[in-house]
Amino acid sequence: MIFEGIESFRRQLAAGEVLLGAGIAFTDPQVSDALAPTADFLWIDLEHAAMSMEAMRGHLLSARAHRKGAVVRVPSSDTAFIKPVLDSGAPGIVVPQVTSAQEVADVVADCRYPPGGERGFGPHVPSGYGRDGGSDFVARSDRSLFVSVMIEHRDAVEAIDDIVSVEGLDAVVLGPYDLSGSLGLLGEVGHPTVVSAMEKVLAAARDRGLPVGSGMPVDAEFAMLQASRGVQWLQIGGDCRYMAQGADDIFAEIRARLKSLS
């Protein structure tokens, strides 16, 4: 059951669908329980959010209950960050700020069992708490675990042809804002230099048959723009912004209408 949601996510990508994901930064698993029916996948953030492993596991349980794919954005490519996330039951990961094909190859090796990789064996949750940890589990884990990396640094763009050629990599993800900063244009995600860099990534991934994701704010126009460029899975902002924006909008509407009563 642990891979059911991510296997469906893979099939949808393979069919050419565009999938919308909700970012998760709050720690209460009711957040993911509330958002999962609307989202196509959950993006659980350990890079920028103050979230413990215990809180992350609660979100993964919510995703499994709703049979939705979930990816966990780890803080970095270090093995020490990747290993416990996978063994806690994450069916997919996103590794930020990679800069080279060798770094990506090391990430993939951390996610696949020998002989194809170097993942240590201790899949407490994924193996059904030890009930199903044999060769069938290993084969399904290697086949189903969704491994992606973020292209948000100019060095990664320069190395993109080598990065997308790494065997076992399942997707790349654009980080437009950080990429713009790396190019000396922080926040100018529509600048021709930034757009050209994103298009280079998309073209390289397309040549290798890899789906491309993208992080982004709560912005329907930017989501449509990225989709028109060929991005297939979109992390549309996250829980905190949904709450703040929803409150801003409804409060502003009510206050405006109250003025008309005066």
Side-chain angles (χ1 to χ4, degrees), residues 82-103:
I82 294 173
K83 183 186 295 187
V85 167
L86 299 185
D87 288 345
S88 293
I93 65 164
V94 180
V95 178
Q97 295 287 349
V98 300
T99 58
S100 71
Q102 184 58 58
E103 184 179 7

Side-chain angles (χ1 to χ4, degrees), residues 5-64:
I6 207 70
E7 288 171 345
S8 176
F9 175 78
R10 281 178 173 278
R11 287 192 296 271
Q12 289 173 288
L13 289 178
E17 296 182 37
V18 175
L19 306 179
L20 309 182
I24 305 294
F26 289 144
T27 58
D28 192 326
Q30 278 195 295
V31 171
S32 48
D33 191 44
L35 291 173
T38 296
D40 295 316
F41 66 93
L42 299 180
W43 170 296
I44 303 165
D45 192 10
L46 300 189
E47 183 190 15
H48 294 295
M51 186 183 301
S52 69
M53 295 292 291
E54 290 82 4
M56 177 202 72
R57 290 190 303 210
H59 292 306
L60 291 173
L61 285 171
S62 291
R64 291 206 295 277

Side-chain angles (χ1 to χ4, degrees), residues 89-171:
I93 65 164
V94 180
V95 178
Q97 295 287 349
V98 300
T99 58
S100 71
Q102 184 58 58
E103 184 179 7
V104 174
D106 291 342
V107 166
V108 172
D110 280 340
C111 295
R112 311 297 186 200
Y113 290 112
E118 299 176 357
R119 180 178 174 183
F121 195 80
H124 181 59
V125 177
S127 67
Y129 302 94
R131 296 183 180 92
D132 180 25
S135 59
D136 287 345
F137 163 77
V138 170
R140 188 176 186 187
S141 177
D142 283 348
R143 181 176 66 250
S144 298
L145 184 66
F146 191 81
V147 183
S148 60
V149 297
M150 295 198 73
I151 308 300
E152 50 190 345
H153 192 280
R154 63 188 308 158
D155 290 348
V157 175
E158 292 174 5
I160 191 61
D161 288 331
D162 292 331
I163 286 173
V164 297
S165 297
V166 172
E167 191 70 29
L169 181 67
D170 294 305

